[in-house]
């Protein structure tokens, strides 16, 4: 079964390969096994030409049947499926952002005693940006006004424009969105409207549907931006922090608690309770309690608390197969139901905490912000109980971990730049691009997808871009690949960075040597997937400095192993906000050449951003570089023309 083995070993993470190798014939049911059983996957689904919007379906577009039973053609079906995928992503982020907003409301009203306003600088900065005056008001009053604006942006029904969005992106973009009628009024209004528009017998026009999908993606962006901004106020804005990542962070002498999901409202409390409950852990015979993260909640607590990363999305079940995880505490999103079956082969307890995420046979402790610490302690008691049942003979931890330097919010980056240019920090970055030292910036984001070899696209594309002097920022499971692979530290700079990138990072290291305890990493970890809003903030600040609209900024995004509906929504707002967006897994769109053409070409004419589908990692890097070079070249030509002819050769708008 050499081929089976080769296929099952769909990872380049050595810790994952070690676990896969020793469980080859042991009958474990993991994503790596189920992926094989799922082959071949349905081509109609892959192309996006399967419709089950009504129960006359499923209707599939074939040579024989070029329309669904209702007469919907491939372009309607593909576009409608696209809108619905984006709705999945948008609602997930909206729910997350709303949860943060409602917690903020409880804090303001004094009903969540275990939480408080932790970062007043951020509170003032967000207030200024959103247009809330701070004069003569206390922190809670300011926070209340922000919460009210956020709540209105979720629920407004009167058709007025979104307030949050219009304050955080440049006016030229807002005008563009108004022109195309895709500026959301409120998140929930957009969601309801888009869902209705995709009901059977509603919109059949693919162009109209694609525009709606972009409105949905912008609603997604608002949800993300609110989530990041309010989480920073409540839990602190990330600053550089040192930690470690990969399965080797499990410690057999400790009670190991994996926090998994997305919501810092839970994970922050678990981390705090774990620190407080050391005594209980010692009484159970352990040296203490170690928390570690999987998926984006792991990113949240890495960024703010320095909590190590255990693994990323694809290998969540394999973490349990080390036999050393006492409890896996999950909140929302990206939680494979498969973790429960695997956990039953060990002593590991799966604890669900959200009313909207329950798994049959798992423990469920309903989290409650008004009694947050009490609930967190209950969860940890479950882990302590499990630890007592741990079977030492089943413990086998791959001894692989790497040093991580993370915590690079936009504020943290600007702070580094300010050591060189205190008046205009962002100019340090734009100057490096204009001088040719850097070829641009690339955001590496998104998931794992077993259609690709786990972590291979992430790692190869980043190495190629770094070699070619692209400044790299990362979020989500992509960032966790870099954490696990030792690419979030300065050794990786020596190993992979081109001369320009090295010079740029060294200049920053030198200017900040009094405050940095560690040299800067090859890739700047910006946080979780909602923190892609940070990455776009960075692009916005660059556009403002360069006095251009965002599509002119040499800034690209890549989701090398995209999987989730959230990734589709993020990719789409990134396009409408002006980025070339590479995706390393072809989404279900090519079944309509028309919709595919809009995504890859026409989008550029309208918004400046566009999609690039490319599955091969080396080719992907080449295409991203070409997209960046086109922008730097145009900027150079415009600058030369401006100097030579003293004209305003570069128009600000797209
Ligand atoms: O929000 S990158 S697999 S964990 S969806 Fe999920 Fe994708 Fe990971 Fe975070 Ni984002
Ligand atoms: Fe088929 Fe039309 Fe119903 Fe879709 S909406 S399942 S294409 S009949």
């Amino acid at each position: 079964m050499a081929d089976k083995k080769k296929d099952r070993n769909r990872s380049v993470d050595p810790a994952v390969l070690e676990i896969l190798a020793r469980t080859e014939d042991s009958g474990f049911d993991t994503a790596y096994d189920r992926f094989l059983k799922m082959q071949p996957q349905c081509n109609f689904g892959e192309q996006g030409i399967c419709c089950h919007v009504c129960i006359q379906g499923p209707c599939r577009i074939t040579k024989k049947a070029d329309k669904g039973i209702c007469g919907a053609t491939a372009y309607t079906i593909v576009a409608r499926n696209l809108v619905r995928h984006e709705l999945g992503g948008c609602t997930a982020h909206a729910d997350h952002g709303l949860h943060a907003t409602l917690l903020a409301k409880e804090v303001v009203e004094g009903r969540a005693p275990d939480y408080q306003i932790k970062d007043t600088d951020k509170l003032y900065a967000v207030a200024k940006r959103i247009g809330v005056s701070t004069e003569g008001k206390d922190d809670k009053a300011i926070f209340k006004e922000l919460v009210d604006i956020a709540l209105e942006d979720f629920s407004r029904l009167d058709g007025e424009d979104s307030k949050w969005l219009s304050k955080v992106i440049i006016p030229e973009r807002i005008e563009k969105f108004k022109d195309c009628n895709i500026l959301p009024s409120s998140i929930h209004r957009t969601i309801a409207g888009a869902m209705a528009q995709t009901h059977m017998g509603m919109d059949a026009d693919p162009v109209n549907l694609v525009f709606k999908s972009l409105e949905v993606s912008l609603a997604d962006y608002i949800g993300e931006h609110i989530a990041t901004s309010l989480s920073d106020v409540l839990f602190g804005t990330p600053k550089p922090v040192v930690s470690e990542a990969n399965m080797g962070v499990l410690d057999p002498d400790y009670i190991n608690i994996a926090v998994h999901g997305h919501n810092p409202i839970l994970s922050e409390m678990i981390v705090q309770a774990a620190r407080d409950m050391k005594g209980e852990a010692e009484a159970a015979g352990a040296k203490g309690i170690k928390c570690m993260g999987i998926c984006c909640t792991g990113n949240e607590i890495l960024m703010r608390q320095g909590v190590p990363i255990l693994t990323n999305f694809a290998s969540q079940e394999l973490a349990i197969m080390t036999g050393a995880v006492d409890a896996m505490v999950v909140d929302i999103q990206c939680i494979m139901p498969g973790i429960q079956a695997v956990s039953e082969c060990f002593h590991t307890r799966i604890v669900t905490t959200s009313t909207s995420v329950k798994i049959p046979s798992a423990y469920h402790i309903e989290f409650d912000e008004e009694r947050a610490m009490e609930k967190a302690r209950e969860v940890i008691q479950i882990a302590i109980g499990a630890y007592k049942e741990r079977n030492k003979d089943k413990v086998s931890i791959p001894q692989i971990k790497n040093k991580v330097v993370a915590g690079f919010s936009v504020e943290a980056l600007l702070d580094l730049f300010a050591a060189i240019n205190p008046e205009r920090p962002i100019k340090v970055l734009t100057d490096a691009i204009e001088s040719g030292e850097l070829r641009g910036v690339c955001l590496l984001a998104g998931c794992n997808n077993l259609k690709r070899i786990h972590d291979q696209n992430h790692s190869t594309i980043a190495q190629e871009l770094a070699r070619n002097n692209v400044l790299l920022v990362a979020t989500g499971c992509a960032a966790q690949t870099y954490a696990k692979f030792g690419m979030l530290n300065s050794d990786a700079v020596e190993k992979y960075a081109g001369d320009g990138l090295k010079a740029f990072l060294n200049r920053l290291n030198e200017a900040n040597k009094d405050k940095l305890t560690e040299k800067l990493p090859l890739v700047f970890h910006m946080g979780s997937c909602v923190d892609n809003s940070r990455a776009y903030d960075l692009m916005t600040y660059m556009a403002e400095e360069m006095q251009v609209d965002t599509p002119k900024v040499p800034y690209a995004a890549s989701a090398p192993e995209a999987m989730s509906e959230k990734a589709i929504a993020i990719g789409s707002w990134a396009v409408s906000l002006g980025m070339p967006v590479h995706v390393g897994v072809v989404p279900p769109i090519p079944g309509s050449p028309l919709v595919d053409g809009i995504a890859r070409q026409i989008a550029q004419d309208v918004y400046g951003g566009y999609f690039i589908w490319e599955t091969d990692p080396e080719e992907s890097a080449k295409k991203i570089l070409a997209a960046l070079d086109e922008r730097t070249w145009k900027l150079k030509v415009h600058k030369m023309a401006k100097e030579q002819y003293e004209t305003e050769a570069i128009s600000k708008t797209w």
Side-chain angles (χ1 to χ4, degrees):
M1 298 290 281
D3 280 341
K4 176 181 171 247
K5 190 172 169 208
K6 185 165 161 264
D7 284 337
R8 183 177 183 260
N9 292 345
R10 300 181 65 75
S11 183
V12 290
D13 177 342
V16 167
L17 287 172
E18 189 182 316
I19 297 172
L20 286 174
R22 71 173 148 75
T23 54
E24 174 71 30
D25 295 309
S26 50
F28 277 108
D29 179 40
T30 70
Y32 299 83
D33 302 287
R34 294 186 296 269
F35 177 81
L36 295 185
K37 288 187 198 156
M38 198 54 65
Q39 302 311 311
Q41 285 173 279
C42 170
N43 191 41
F44 298 101
E46 286 213 293
Q47 298 285 312
I49 45 175
C50 174
C51 180
H52 49 90
V53 155
C54 88
I55 56 176
Q56 287 188 98
C59 295
R60 306 174 308 177
I61 301 300
T62 63
K63 280 208 177 86
K64 192 176 94 201
D66 63 352
K67 289 177 185 159
I69 294 169
C70 67
T73 57
Y75 58 53
T76 301
I77 293 173
V78 168
R80 201 159 52 186
N81 287 343
L82 175 65
V83 177
R84 289 205 163 189
H85 269 313
E86 295 203 17
L87 279 165
C90 174
T91 51
H93 284 144
D95 222 34
H96 180 158
L98 183 62
H99 196 165
T101 312
L102 293 175
L103 171 63
K105 188 168 186 284
E106 287 187 289
V107 168
V108 166
E109 293 168 357
R111 288 187 289 117
D114 298 325
Y115 299 91
Q116 58 280 139
I117 296 172
K118 224 181 220 169
D119 189 340
T120 43
D121 287 349
K122 181 78 180 209
L123 175 70
Y124 277 66
V126 180
K128 187 169 173 219
R129 213 164 166 206
I130 302 299
V132 170
S133 82
T134 53
E135 229 14 68
K137 293 177 195 157
D138 68 11
D139 292 352
K140 278 196 175 170
I142 299 166
F143 206 22
K144 182 178 182 316
E145 281 189 49
L146 277 177
V147 165
D148 289 345
I149 292 171
L151 284 175
E152 241 188 87
D153 250 41
F154 280 102
S155 57
R156 180 183 299 106
L157 292 175
D158 62 9
E160 287 289 304
D161 296 339
S162 155
K163 190 156 181 190
W164 200 279
L165 189 65
S166 58
K167 297 289 184 184
V168 298
I169 62 175
I170 58 176
E172 289 75 12
R173 283 284 99 181
I174 293 291
E175 286 313 309
K176 168 65 74 186
F177 298 152
K178 278 188 183 162
D179 283 353
C180 311
N181 199 23
I182 64 164
L183 186 67
S185 170
S186 71
I187 297 172
H188 291 171
R189 181 73 195 91
T190 290
I191 290 169
M195 199 66 198
Q197 195 168 327
T198 57
H199 188 273
M200 189 272 152
M202 288 286 286
D203 201 0
D205 177 348
V207 177
N208 206 37
L209 282 161
V210 170
F211 276 123
K212 196 68 184 178
S213 81
L214 295 179
E215 183 190 323
V216 172
S217 77
L218 291 175
D220 176 273
Y221 183 75
I222 302 168
E224 289 185 45
H225 207 284
I226 289 174
T228 300
S229 304
L230 301 189
S231 297
D232 278 356
V233 175
L234 289 166
F235 306 117
T237 305
K239 299 189 189 76
V241 67
V242 183
S243 188
E244 46 191 15
N246 216 341
M247 302 279 187
V249 304
L250 286 159
D251 190 326
D253 296 334
Y254 282 72
I255 295 171
N256 293 305
I257 301 181
V259 280
H260 174 15
H262 285 77
N263 199 343
I265 294 173
L266 171 78
S267 54
E268 282 277 339
M269 278 301 134
I270 299 282
V271 171
Q272 205 178 311
R275 284 175 189 151
D276 296 347
M277 289 175 73
K278 188 165 186 265
E280 278 99 319
E282 285 168 351
K287 283 190 181 162
I289 301 172
K290 278 207 164 177
C291 292
M292 51 207 70
I294 301 179
C295 286
C296 283
T297 210
N299 287 327
E300 300 272 358
I301 48 178
L302 164 68
M303 295 284 284
R304 298 195 180 93
Q305 307 279 354
V307 172
I309 293 295
L310 178 54
T311 197
N312 56 357
F313 171 75
S315 39
Q316 54 187 274
E317 293 158 308
L318 274 61
I320 298 169
M321 287 154 65
T322 60
V325 176
D326 300 299
M328 187 177 279
V329 187
V330 305
D331 51 53
I332 50 165
Q333 302 166 18
C334 303
I335 297 143
M336 290 190 196
I339 54 175
Q340 179 60 30
V342 175
S343 78
E344 286 168 12
C345 303
F346 298 88
H347 70 297
T348 310
R349 309 289 200 261
I350 304 296
V351 187
T352 56
T353 57
S354 162
T355 183
S356 49
V357 182
K358 295 187 180 179
I359 301 175
S361 303
Y363 287 68
H364 186 75
I365 304 269
E366 188 81 31
F367 198 64
D368 173 0
E369 290 73 24
E370 294 186 18
R371 295 186 295 144
M373 191 44 85
E374 184 191 322
K375 289 286 167 188
R377 291 179 74 93
E378 257 182 71
V379 168
I380 289 177
Q381 284 299 353
I382 292 179
I384 295 175
Y387 170 78
K388 292 180 192 158
E389 291 173 24
R390 191 195 285 174
N391 180 347
K392 288 198 172 64
D393 298 338
K394 282 191 176 178
V395 174
S396 177
I397 303 168
Q399 291 307 309
I400 295 164
K401 62 178 176 181
N402 278 296
K403 182 161 142 193
V404 165
V405 182
F408 295 98
S409 55
V410 176
E411 290 83 345
L413 285 176
L414 292 178
D415 189 49
L416 294 171
F417 299 157
I420 295 174
N421 187 339
E423 271 83 45
R424 285 158 72 186
I426 193 72
K427 198 168 182 299
V428 174
L429 176 55
T430 53
D431 279 354
I433 293 170
E434 276 173 24
S435 73
E437 184 174 51
L438 296 176
R439 275 165 91 170
V441 180
C442 185
L443 161 65
L444 296 156
C447 325
N448 297 132
N449 183 328
L450 285 175
K451 285 183 177 172
R452 308 257 63 82
I453 304 293
H454 172 210
D455 289 341
Q456 187 179 50
N457 270 10
H458 284 315
S459 50
T460 312
I461 291 171
Q463 286 164 21
E464 282 303 306
L465 294 178
R467 220 186 305 285
N468 284 285
N469 301 312
V470 176
L471 184 77
L472 300 173
V473 295
T475 55
C477 287
Q480 294 182 326
T481 303
Y482 308 131
K484 293 188 298 175
F485 284 35
M487 292 168 72
L488 300 189
N489 60 43
S490 60
D491 292 348
V493 176
E494 290 312 312
K495 214 158 150 192
Y496 302 115
D499 290 343
L501 179 57
K502 252 185 212 160
F504 180 76
L505 294 174
N506 282 339
R507 210 161 52 249
L508 287 175
N509 279 325
E510 190 50 37
N512 289 282
K513 64 173 185 279
D514 294 339
K515 68 175 176 241
L516 285 175
T517 55
E518 286 290 333
K519 282 191 174 173
L520 295 170
L522 180 74
V523 183
F524 289 98
H525 191 329
M526 287 200 124
S528 62
C529 282
V530 294
D531 294 336
N532 284 311
S533 60
R534 299 190 200 278
Y536 190 70
D537 273 346
L538 181 66
M539 190 190 200
T540 300
Y541 296 148
M542 290 170 73
E544 283 169 352
E545 175 60 38
M546 294 167 119
Q547 296 188 327
V548 294
D549 192 358
T550 39
K552 297 202 166 87
V553 179
Y555 196 130
S558 170
E561 302 174 24
M563 171 279 299
S564 86
E565 291 175 308
K566 292 179 286 172
I568 298 178
I570 292 168
S572 300
W573 64 244
V575 163
S576 53
L577 289 166
M579 291 185 195
V581 178
H582 161 256
V583 187
V585 180
V586 183
I589 289 180
S592 162
L594 187 136
V595 179
D596 194 54
I598 295 174
R600 295 194 294 131
Q601 284 149 22
I602 295 169
Q604 183 173 20
D605 301 336
V606 184
Y607 296 109
Y610 54 95
F611 280 111
I612 302 163
W613 320 135
E614 177 56 63
T615 55
D616 177 83
E618 272 93 13
E619 280 304 308
S620 301
K622 278 187 202 151
K623 289 180 180 175
I624 295 165
L625 285 167
L628 291 173
D629 286 349
E630 190 195 1
R631 290 184 177 202
T632 31
W633 176 79
K634 276 189 186 160
L635 280 173
K636 218 175 275 171
V637 171
H638 287 140
K639 200 174 166 201
M640 272 163 46
K642 189 176 165 186
E643 280 162 11
Q644 213 164 335
Y645 304 110
E646 293 173 4
T647 56
E648 211 41 65
I650 181 160
S651 88
K652 193 163 179 225
T653 52
W654 183 252

